[in-house]
Amino acid sequence: MNPTHLQIPATLAHALRAARRVLVFTGAGVSAESGIATFRDALTGLWSRFDAQALATPEAFRAHPDIVWGWYEWRRAQVLRATPNAAHRAIAELARHVPELCVVTQNVDDLHERAGSLGVAHLHGSLHAPRCSACGAPQACADDAPQEPEEGRRIAPPACTRCGAPVRPGVVWFGESLPVDAWNTAIRAAEQCDLLLSIGTSALVYPAAELPQRALAAGAIVAQIN
């Protein structure tokens, strides 16, 4: 074995032991191990004739709210059936061994939280936090999510409890800004951390991909784990 292969984990372990502030930045690769489809995966069943990226836009929701809502409810059902995997659990456990740890994720599921991570910053929103498409009022999720609908079945989004407009998924669509609070938390964590662990993400989608660059510029060690 090339000796350099042994130096990488040893260096990372040393950096982790010395770190006071750790930022864990995660992407779809973390949840894929739990069976959550990524945007790069081909859609299946009823959804195989759709393009995931084409469904994830405000324009698609305005034109076909029943199709878009149905697809996101199918995704939420998939998440509800999934369980956190070893990566989610390890990240939650890591918080017990460093003075300060912040989890920033591009994922819209709740698997980090179910594994025990606290205060997770969701840069791309959450499937579990729908809101009104007009007034923005937070809305409660249904107690259970539907299974994949039969061919031709459309699922109309519920009406907002405040103004009656259609409720939309609580995710960030293409062309929309990131949630301000989550983004500010992420920027602050990136610029103050000693070590950034980028896990399961290509780090190519902006503006989220700025985080490792900001951490490097501030003098942190950055490790990409895929």
Side-chain angles (χ1 to χ4, degrees), residues 112-132:
H112 278 304
E113 288 88 345
R114 281 197 265 153
S117 290
L118 303 175
V120 179
H122 285 265
L123 292 184
H124 295 161
S126 171
L127 291 168
H128 311 284
R131 65 181 186 272
C132 178

Side-chain angles (χ1 to χ4, degrees), residues 164-176:
V167 172
R168 57 160 286 173
V171 301
V172 176
W173 282 326
F174 292 107
E176 294 184 325

Side-chain angles (χ1 to χ4, degrees), residues 69-212:
W69 180 259
W71 182 57
Y72 277 95
E73 282 293 90
W74 172 77
R75 292 186 66 194
R76 190 166 70 90
Q78 186 183 56
V79 170
L80 292 175
R81 292 193 299 270
T83 56
N85 61 55
H88 296 110
R89 296 192 297 271
I91 291 167
E93 176 66 19
L94 181 60
R96 298 176 52 195
H97 301 279
V98 297
E100 184 177 328
L101 183 139
C102 177
V103 178
V104 174
T105 187
Q106 298 170 89
N107 298 336
V108 295
D109 58 61
D110 63 347
L111 295 180
H112 278 304
E113 288 88 345
R114 281 197 265 153
S117 290
L118 303 175
V120 179
H122 285 265
L123 292 184
H124 295 161
S126 171
L127 291 168
H128 311 284
R131 65 181 186 272
C132 178
S133 61
C135 71
Q139 303 292 306
C141 284
D143 291 336
D144 56 354
Q147 302 297 316
E148 183 172 351
E150 297 176 0
E151 186 74 31
R153 180 184 171 198
R154 295 170 180 263
I155 303 176
C160 172
T161 55
R162 177 184 294 177
C163 72
V167 172
R168 57 160 286 173
V171 301
V172 176
W173 282 326
F174 292 107
E176 294 184 325
S177 300
L178 301 187
V180 173
D181 288 346
W183 181 238
N184 287 341
T185 295
I187 290 294
R188 184 167 56 250
E191 294 179 344
Q192 296 178 354
C193 70
D194 309 304
L195 173 64
L196 184 149
L197 301 176
S198 178
I199 306 175
T201 172
S202 63
L204 295 176
V205 178
Y206 283 84
E210 292 180 19
L211 297 179

Side-chain angles (χ1 to χ4, degrees), residues 47-73:
W47 307 109
S48 61
R49 69 177 189 266
F50 293 101
D51 176 2
Q53 296 195 29
L55 291 173
T57 68
E59 294 78 15
F61 184 74
R62 286 193 292 269
H64 305 288
D66 46 1
I67 294 176
V68 173
W69 180 259
W71 182 57
Y72 277 95
E73 282 293 90

